[in-house]
Coordinates of all heavy atoms in Angstrom, one line a residue:
M1 N -10.2 -24.2 2.7 CA -8.8 -24.3 2.7 C -8.2 -23.1 2.0 O -8.6 -22.7 0.9 CB -8.4 -25.6 1.9 CG -6.9 -25.9 2.0 SD -6.7 -27.5 1.4 CE -5.0 -27.4 0.9
S2 N -7.3 -22.4 2.7 CA -6.8 -21.2 2.2 C -5.5 -21.4 1.3 O -4.8 -22.4 1.5 CB -6.5 -20.2 3.3 OG -5.4 -20.7 4.1
T3 N -5.3 -20.5 0.4 CA -4.1 -20.7 -0.4 C -2.9 -20.1 0.3 O -3.1 -19.2 1.2 CB -4.3 -19.9 -1.8 OG1 -4.5 -18.6 -1.5 CG2 -5.4 -20.5 -2.5
P4 N -1.7 -20.4 0.0 CA -0.5 -19.9 0.7 C -0.4 -18.4 0.5 O 0.3 -17.8 1.4 CB 0.7 -20.6 0.0 CG 0.1 -21.7 -0.8 CD -1.3 -21.4 -1.0
T5 N -1.0 -17.8 -0.5 CA -0.8 -16.3 -0.6 C -2.0 -15.6 -0.1 O -2.0 -14.4 -0.3 CB -0.6 -16.0 -2.1 OG1 -1.8 -16.5 -2.9 CG2 0.6 -16.6 -2.7
S6 N -2.9 -16.2 0.5 CA -4.1 -15.5 1.0 C -3.7 -14.6 2.2 O -2.9 -15.0 3.1 CB -5.2 -16.4 1.4 OG -4.9 -17.2 2.5
R7 N -4.2 -13.4 2.2 CA -3.9 -12.4 3.3 C -5.2 -11.9 3.8 O -6.2 -12.0 3.2 CB -3.1 -11.3 2.7 CG -1.7 -11.7 2.3 CD -1.0 -10.4 1.8 NE 0.3 -10.8 1.3 CZ 1.4 -10.9 2.1 NH1 1.3 -10.6 3.4 NH2 2.6 -11.2 1.7
S8 N -5.1 -11.3 5.0 CA -6.3 -10.7 5.6 C -5.9 -9.3 6.1 O -4.8 -9.0 6.4 CB -6.8 -11.5 6.7 OG -7.7 -10.9 7.5
L9 N -6.9 -8.4 6.1 CA -6.6 -7.1 6.6 C -6.9 -7.0 8.1 O -6.7 -6.0 8.8 CB -7.5 -6.0 5.9 CG -7.2 -5.9 4.4 CD1 -8.2 -4.9 3.8 CD2 -5.8 -5.4 4.2
N10 N -7.5 -8.1 8.7 CA -7.8 -8.1 10.1 C -6.6 -7.9 11.0 O -5.6 -8.7 10.9 CB -8.5 -9.4 10.5 CG -9.9 -9.6 9.9 OD1 -10.5 -8.6 9.5 ND2 -10.3 -10.8 9.7
G11 N -6.6 -6.9 11.8 CA -5.5 -6.7 12.8 C -4.3 -6.1 12.3 O -3.3 -6.0 13.0
I12 N -4.3 -5.7 11.0 CA -3.1 -5.1 10.5 C -3.3 -3.6 10.2 O -4.4 -3.2 9.7 CB -2.6 -5.8 9.2 CG1 -1.2 -5.2 8.8 CG2 -3.6 -5.7 8.1 CD1 -0.5 -6.1 7.8
T13 N -2.4 -2.8 10.6 CA -2.5 -1.3 10.4 C -2.2 -0.9 9.0 O -1.4 -1.6 8.3 CB -1.6 -0.5 11.4 OG1 -0.3 -0.8 11.1 CG2 -1.9 -0.9 12.8
L14 N -2.7 0.2 8.6 CA -2.3 0.8 7.3 C -0.8 1.0 7.2 O -0.2 0.8 6.2 CB -3.1 2.1 7.1 CG -2.9 2.8 5.7 CD1 -3.2 1.8 4.6 CD2 -3.7 4.0 5.6
E15 N -0.2 1.5 8.3 CA 1.2 1.7 8.3 C 2.0 0.4 8.1 O 2.9 0.3 7.3 CB 1.7 2.3 9.7 CG 3.1 2.6 9.7 CD 3.5 3.4 11.0 OE1 2.7 3.6 11.9 OE2 4.7 3.8 11.0
A16 N 1.5 -0.7 8.7 CA 2.2 -2.0 8.5 C 2.0 -2.5 7.0 O 2.9 -3.1 6.4 CB 1.6 -3.0 9.5
I17 N 0.8 -2.3 6.5 CA 0.6 -2.6 5.1 C 1.6 -1.9 4.2 O 2.2 -2.5 3.3 CB -0.9 -2.3 4.7 CG1 -1.8 -3.3 5.4 CG2 -1.1 -2.3 3.2 CD1 -3.3 -2.9 5.2
L18 N 1.7 -0.6 4.4 CA 2.6 0.3 3.6 C 4.0 -0.2 3.7 O 4.7 -0.3 2.7 CB 2.5 1.7 4.0 CG 1.4 2.6 3.3 CD1 1.4 4.0 3.9 CD2 1.6 2.6 1.8
E19 N 4.5 -0.5 4.9 CA 5.8 -0.9 5.1 C 6.1 -2.2 4.4 O 7.2 -2.4 3.8 CB 6.1 -1.1 6.6 CG 6.2 0.3 7.3 CD 6.3 0.2 8.9 OE1 6.0 -0.9 9.4 OE2 6.5 1.2 9.5
Q20 N 5.2 -3.1 4.4 CA 5.4 -4.4 3.7 C 5.4 -4.2 2.2 O 6.2 -4.8 1.5 CB 4.3 -5.4 4.1 CG 4.5 -5.9 5.5 CD 3.5 -7.0 5.9 OE1 3.1 -7.9 5.1 NE2 2.9 -6.9 7.1
L21 N 4.5 -3.4 1.7 CA 4.5 -3.1 0.3 C 5.8 -2.4 -0.2 O 6.3 -2.8 -1.2 CB 3.3 -2.2 -0.1 CG 1.9 -2.9 0.0 CD1 0.8 -1.9 -0.2 CD2 1.8 -4.0 -1.1
V22 N 6.2 -1.5 0.6 CA 7.5 -0.8 0.2 C 8.7 -1.7 0.2 O 9.5 -1.7 -0.7 CB 7.7 0.5 1.1 CG1 9.1 1.0 0.9 CG2 6.7 1.5 0.9
A23 N 8.7 -2.6 1.2 CA 9.8 -3.6 1.3 C 9.7 -4.5 0.1 O 10.8 -4.9 -0.4 CB 9.7 -4.4 2.6
Y24 N 8.6 -4.9 -0.3 CA 8.4 -5.9 -1.4 C 8.6 -5.2 -2.8 O 9.3 -5.7 -3.6 CB 7.1 -6.6 -1.3 CG 6.9 -7.7 -2.4 CD1 7.6 -8.9 -2.2 CD2 6.2 -7.5 -3.5 CE1 7.5 -9.9 -3.1 CE2 6.1 -8.5 -4.5 CZ 6.7 -9.7 -4.3 OH 6.6 -10.7 -5.3
Y25 N 7.8 -4.1 -3.0 CA 7.8 -3.5 -4.4 C 8.8 -2.3 -4.5 O 9.3 -2.1 -5.6 CB 6.4 -3.0 -4.7 CG 5.4 -4.1 -4.9 CD1 4.4 -4.3 -4.0 CD2 5.4 -4.8 -6.1 CE1 3.4 -5.3 -4.2 CE2 4.4 -5.8 -6.3 CZ 3.5 -6.0 -5.3 OH 2.5 -7.0 -5.5
G26 N 9.0 -1.6 -3.4 CA 9.7 -0.3 -3.5 C 8.8 0.8 -4.0 O 7.8 0.6 -4.6
W27 N 9.2 2.0 -3.7 CA 8.3 3.2 -4.0 C 8.1 3.3 -5.5 O 7.0 3.6 -6.0 CB 8.9 4.5 -3.5 CG 8.9 4.6 -2.0 CD1 9.9 4.6 -1.1 CD2 7.7 4.8 -1.2 NE1 9.5 4.7 0.1 CE2 8.1 4.8 0.1 CE3 6.3 4.8 -1.5 CZ2 7.3 5.0 1.2 CZ3 5.5 5.0 -0.4 CH2 5.9 5.1 0.9
E28 N 9.2 3.1 -6.3 CA 9.0 3.3 -7.8 C 8.0 2.4 -8.4 O 7.1 2.8 -9.1 CB 10.4 3.1 -8.5 CG 10.3 3.4 -9.9 CD 11.7 3.4 -10.6 OE1 12.7 3.3 -9.9 OE2 11.7 3.3 -11.9
Q29 N 8.1 1.1 -8.0 CA 7.1 0.1 -8.6 C 5.7 0.4 -8.0 O 4.7 0.3 -8.8 CB 7.6 -1.3 -8.2 CG 6.7 -2.4 -8.8 CD 6.7 -2.4 -10.3 OE1 7.6 -1.9 -11.0 NE2 5.7 -3.0 -10.9
M30 N 5.6 0.8 -6.8 CA 4.3 1.1 -6.2 C 3.7 2.3 -7.0 O 2.5 2.3 -7.2 CB 4.4 1.4 -4.7 CG 4.6 0.1 -3.9 SD 4.8 0.5 -2.1 CE 3.4 1.4 -1.7
G31 N 4.5 3.3 -7.3 CA 4.0 4.4 -8.1 C 3.5 4.0 -9.5 O 2.6 4.7 -10.0
K32 N 4.1 3.0 -10.0 CA 3.7 2.5 -11.3 C 2.4 1.7 -11.2 O 1.5 1.7 -12.1 CB 4.8 1.6 -12.0 CG 6.0 2.4 -12.4 CD 7.0 1.5 -13.0 CE 8.3 2.3 -13.4 NZ 9.4 1.4 -13.8
L33 N 2.3 0.9 -10.1 CA 1.1 0.1 -9.9 C -0.1 0.9 -9.5 O -1.3 0.6 -9.8 CB 1.4 -1.0 -8.9 CG 2.4 -2.0 -9.3 CD1 2.8 -2.9 -8.1 CD2 1.9 -2.9 -10.4
I34 N 0.1 2.0 -8.6 CA -0.9 2.9 -8.2 C -0.4 4.3 -8.4 O 0.5 4.7 -7.6 CB -1.3 2.6 -6.7 CG1 -1.6 1.2 -6.4 CG2 -2.4 3.6 -6.2 CD1 -1.8 0.8 -5.0
D35 N -0.9 5.0 -9.4 CA -0.4 6.3 -9.8 C -0.9 7.4 -8.9 O -1.9 8.0 -9.2 CB -0.7 6.5 -11.2 CG 0.0 7.8 -11.8 OD1 0.9 8.2 -11.1 OD2 -0.5 8.3 -12.8
I36 N -0.3 7.5 -7.7 CA -0.7 8.6 -6.8 C 0.6 9.3 -6.4 O 1.7 8.7 -6.3 CB -1.5 8.2 -5.6 CG1 -0.8 7.0 -4.9 CG2 -2.9 7.8 -6.0 CD1 -1.5 6.5 -3.6
N37 N 0.5 10.7 -6.3 CA 1.7 11.5 -6.0 C 2.5 11.1 -4.8 O 3.7 11.2 -4.7 CB 1.4 13.0 -5.9 CG 1.1 13.6 -7.3 OD1 1.6 13.1 -8.3 ND2 0.4 14.7 -7.3
C38 N 1.8 10.6 -3.7 CA 2.5 10.3 -2.5 C 3.5 9.1 -2.7 O 4.3 8.8 -1.9 CB 1.6 10.1 -1.3 SG 0.5 8.7 -1.5
F39 N 3.3 8.3 -3.8 CA 4.2 7.2 -4.1 C 5.3 7.6 -5.2 O 6.3 7.0 -5.3 CB 3.5 6.0 -4.7 CG 2.6 5.3 -3.7 CD1 1.7 4.4 -4.2 CD2 2.6 5.6 -2.4 CE1 0.9 3.7 -3.3 CE2 1.8 4.9 -1.5 CZ 0.9 4.0 -1.9
T40 N 5.0 8.7 -5.9 CA 5.9 9.1 -7.0 C 6.8 10.3 -6.7 O 7.8 10.5 -7.3 CB 5.1 9.3 -8.3 OG1 4.2 10.3 -8.1 CG2 4.4 8.0 -8.7
T41 N 6.3 11.2 -5.9 CA 7.0 12.5 -5.6 C 7.4 12.5 -4.2 O 6.6 12.7 -3.3 CB 6.1 13.7 -6.0 OG1 5.6 13.5 -7.3 CG2 6.8 15.0 -5.8
D42 N 8.7 12.4 -3.9 CA 9.3 12.4 -2.6 C 8.5 11.5 -1.6 O 8.0 12.0 -0.6 CB 9.3 13.9 -2.1 CG 10.2 14.1 -0.9 OD1 11.1 13.2 -0.7 OD2 10.0 15.0 -0.1
P43 N 8.4 10.2 -1.9 CA 7.6 9.3 -1.1 C 8.1 9.1 0.3 O 9.3 9.1 0.5 CB 7.6 8.0 -1.9 CG 8.9 8.1 -2.7 CD 9.1 9.5 -3.0
S44 N 7.2 8.9 1.2 CA 7.5 8.5 2.6 C 6.3 7.9 3.2 O 5.2 8.1 2.7 CB 7.9 9.8 3.4 OG 6.8 10.6 3.7
I45 N 6.5 7.1 4.2 CA 5.4 6.4 4.9 C 4.5 7.5 5.5 O 3.3 7.4 5.3 CB 5.9 5.5 6.0 CG1 6.8 4.3 5.4 CG2 4.8 5.0 6.9 CD1 6.0 3.3 4.7
K46 N 5.1 8.5 6.1 CA 4.3 9.6 6.8 C 3.3 10.3 5.8 O 2.1 10.4 6.0 CB 5.2 10.6 7.5 CG 4.4 11.6 8.3 CD 5.4 12.5 9.0 CE 4.6 13.6 9.8 NZ 5.5 14.5 10.5
S47 N 3.9 10.7 4.6 CA 3.0 11.5 3.7 C 2.0 10.5 3.1 O 0.9 10.9 2.8 CB 3.9 12.1 2.6 OG 4.5 11.1 1.8
S48 N 2.4 9.3 2.8 CA 1.4 8.3 2.2 C 0.3 8.0 3.2 O -0.9 8.0 2.8 CB 2.2 7.0 1.9 OG 3.1 7.3 0.9
L49 N 0.6 7.9 4.5 CA -0.4 7.6 5.5 C -1.4 8.8 5.5 O -2.6 8.6 5.6 CB 0.2 7.4 6.9 CG 0.8 6.0 7.1 CD1 1.6 6.0 8.4 CD2 -0.2 4.9 7.0
K50 N -0.9 10.0 5.5 CA -1.8 11.2 5.6 C -2.7 11.2 4.4 O -3.9 11.4 4.6 CB -0.9 12.4 5.6 CG -1.6 13.7 5.8 CD -0.7 14.9 5.9 CE -1.5 16.2 6.1 NZ -0.6 17.3 6.2
F51 N -2.2 10.9 3.2 CA -3.1 11.0 2.0 C -4.1 9.8 2.0 O -5.3 10.0 1.8 CB -2.2 10.9 0.8 CG -3.0 10.8 -0.5 CD1 -3.6 11.9 -1.0 CD2 -3.1 9.6 -1.1 CE1 -4.4 11.8 -2.2 CE2 -3.9 9.5 -2.3 CZ -4.5 10.6 -2.8
L52 N -3.6 8.6 2.3 CA -4.4 7.4 2.3 C -5.6 7.4 3.3 O -6.6 6.9 3.1 CB -3.6 6.1 2.4 CG -2.6 5.9 1.2 CD1 -1.7 4.8 1.6 CD2 -3.4 5.6 0.0
R53 N -5.3 8.0 4.5 CA -6.3 8.1 5.5 C -7.5 9.0 5.1 O -8.6 8.8 5.7 CB -5.7 8.5 6.8 CG -4.8 7.4 7.5 CD -4.2 7.8 8.8 NE -3.5 6.7 9.4 CZ -2.4 6.8 10.0 NH1 -1.8 8.0 10.2 NH2 -1.8 5.7 10.5
K54 N -7.2 9.9 4.3 CA -8.3 10.8 3.9 C -8.8 10.6 2.4 O -9.7 11.3 2.0 CB -7.9 12.3 4.1 CG -6.8 12.8 3.2 CD -6.4 14.2 3.5 CE -5.3 14.6 2.6 NZ -4.9 16.0 2.8
T55 N -8.3 9.5 1.8 CA -8.7 9.3 0.4 C -9.1 7.8 0.3 O -8.2 6.9 0.0 CB -7.5 9.6 -0.5 OG1 -7.0 10.9 -0.2 CG2 -8.0 9.6 -2.0
P56 N -10.4 7.5 0.5 CA -10.8 6.1 0.5 C -10.5 5.3 -0.8 O -10.1 4.1 -0.7 CB -12.3 6.2 0.7 CG -12.5 7.5 1.4 CD -11.5 8.4 0.8
W57 N -10.6 5.9 -1.9 CA -10.4 5.1 -3.2 C -8.9 4.7 -3.3 O -8.6 3.6 -3.7 CB -10.8 5.9 -4.4 CG -10.0 7.1 -4.7 CD1 -10.3 8.4 -4.3 CD2 -8.7 7.2 -5.4 NE1 -9.3 9.3 -4.7 CE2 -8.3 8.6 -5.4 CE3 -7.9 6.3 -6.0 CZ2 -7.1 9.0 -6.0 CZ3 -6.7 6.7 -6.5 CH2 -6.3 8.1 -6.5
A58 N -8.0 5.6 -2.8 CA -6.6 5.3 -2.9 C -6.2 4.2 -1.8 O -5.5 3.3 -2.1 CB -5.7 6.5 -2.6
R59 N -6.8 4.3 -0.7 CA -6.6 3.3 0.4 C -7.1 1.9 -0.1 O -6.4 0.9 0.1 CB -7.3 3.7 1.7 CG -7.1 2.7 2.8 CD -7.7 3.1 4.1 NE -7.4 2.1 5.1 CZ -7.3 2.4 6.4 NH1 -7.4 3.6 6.8 NH2 -7.0 1.4 7.2
A60 N -8.2 1.9 -0.8 CA -8.8 0.6 -1.3 C -7.8 0.0 -2.3 O -7.6 -1.2 -2.3 CB -10.1 0.9 -1.9
K61 N -7.2 0.8 -3.1 CA -6.2 0.3 -4.1 C -5.0 -0.3 -3.4 O -4.5 -1.3 -3.8 CB -5.8 1.4 -5.1 CG -6.9 1.7 -6.1 CD -6.4 2.6 -7.2 CE -7.4 2.9 -8.2 NZ -7.5 1.8 -9.1
V62 N -4.5 0.4 -2.3 CA -3.4 -0.1 -1.6 C -3.7 -1.4 -0.9 O -2.9 -2.3 -0.9 CB -2.9 1.0 -0.6 CG1 -2.0 0.4 0.5 CG2 -2.3 2.2 -1.3
E63 N -4.9 -1.5 -0.3 CA -5.3 -2.7 0.4 C -5.4 -3.8 -0.6 O -5.0 -5.0 -0.3 CB -6.6 -2.5 1.1 CG -6.4 -1.6 2.4 CD -7.7 -1.2 3.0 OE1 -8.8 -1.4 2.4 OE2 -7.7 -0.6 4.1
E64 N -6.0 -3.5 -1.8 CA -6.1 -4.6 -2.9 C -4.7 -5.1 -3.3 O -4.5 -6.3 -3.5 CB -6.8 -3.9 -4.0 CG -7.1 -4.9 -5.2 CD -7.9 -4.2 -6.3 OE1 -8.7 -3.3 -6.1 OE2 -7.7 -4.7 -7.4
L65 N -3.8 -4.1 -3.4 CA -2.4 -4.5 -3.8 C -1.8 -5.4 -2.7 O -1.2 -6.4 -3.0 CB -1.5 -3.3 -4.0 CG -0.1 -3.5 -4.5 CD1 0.0 -4.2 -5.8 CD2 0.7 -2.2 -4.5
Y66 N -2.0 -5.0 -1.5 CA -1.5 -5.8 -0.3 C -2.1 -7.2 -0.4 O -1.4 -8.2 -0.2 CB -1.8 -5.1 1.0 CG -1.5 -6.0 2.2 CD1 -0.2 -6.1 2.6 CD2 -2.5 -6.6 2.9 CE1 0.1 -6.9 3.7 CE2 -2.2 -7.4 4.0 CZ -0.9 -7.5 4.4 OH -0.6 -8.3 5.5
L67 N -3.4 -7.3 -0.5 CA -4.1 -8.6 -0.5 C -3.6 -9.5 -1.7 O -3.6 -10.8 -1.5 CB -5.6 -8.4 -0.6 CG -6.2 -7.8 0.7 CD1 -7.7 -7.5 0.4 CD2 -6.1 -8.8 1.9
G68 N -3.2 -8.9 -2.8 CA -2.7 -9.7 -3.9 C -1.2 -10.0 -3.9 O -0.7 -10.6 -4.8
M69 N -0.5 -9.4 -2.9 CA 0.9 -9.5 -2.9 C 1.3 -11.0 -2.6 O 0.7 -11.6 -1.7 CB 1.5 -8.6 -1.8 CG 3.0 -8.5 -1.7 SD 3.5 -7.2 -0.5 CE 3.3 -8.1 1.0
P70 N 2.3 -11.5 -3.3 CA 2.8 -12.9 -3.0 C 3.3 -13.1 -1.6 O 3.9 -12.2 -1.0 CB 3.9 -13.1 -4.1 CG 3.7 -12.1 -5.1 CD 3.0 -10.9 -4.4
G71 N 3.1 -14.3 -1.2 CA 3.6 -14.9 0.1 C 3.8 -14.1 1.2 O 4.2 -14.3 2.3

C-alpha cells in the first residue's frame, strides 16, 4: 500500500521534475535546499537542465528532493 506522498520517477522528464519543484519551492528555497549555482545565480529551467544533465550527483539530489516533495 503506497502513501499519499509517494512519487515515482517512471515516465517523468527532468524538465517536468524541475517545473514542479520550482512551482512548489521557488528558486530561492531550492537554492537553499540544494546549493548549486544554477538555482542561486540567475536561475532558469534551461540552465538548470543543462547543468543537471551533465552532473549526476546534482541530478540525484534534485530527484531525491522531488521524491520527498509533499502531495
Side-chain angles (χ1 to χ4, degrees):
M1 188 165 152
S2 65
T3 61
T5 59
S6 66
R7 294 181 180 272
S8 170
L9 296 175
N10 292 339
I12 189 163
T13 64
L14 183 57
E15 184 172 7
I17 289 171
L18 273 176
E19 288 171 349
Q20 289 184 41
L21 287 171
V22 170
Y24 185 78
Y25 292 108
W27 290 113
E28 185 177 346
Q29 183 64 20
M30 284 176 57
K32 290 177 182 175
L33 294 168
I34 305 172
D35 188 19
I36 50 179
N37 283 339
C38 65
F39 291 170
T40 60
T41 305
D42 195 26
S44 72
I45 295 290
K46 185 177 178 180
S47 68
S48 297
L49 284 172
K50 185 176 179 180
F51 176 77
L52 294 170
R53 286 182 176 140
K54 64 182 181 182
T55 314
W57 66 265
R59 182 179 180 146
K61 287 188 175 284
V62 166
E63 290 172 348
E64 184 179 330
L65 182 61
Y66 172 76
L67 290 172
M69 189 173 75

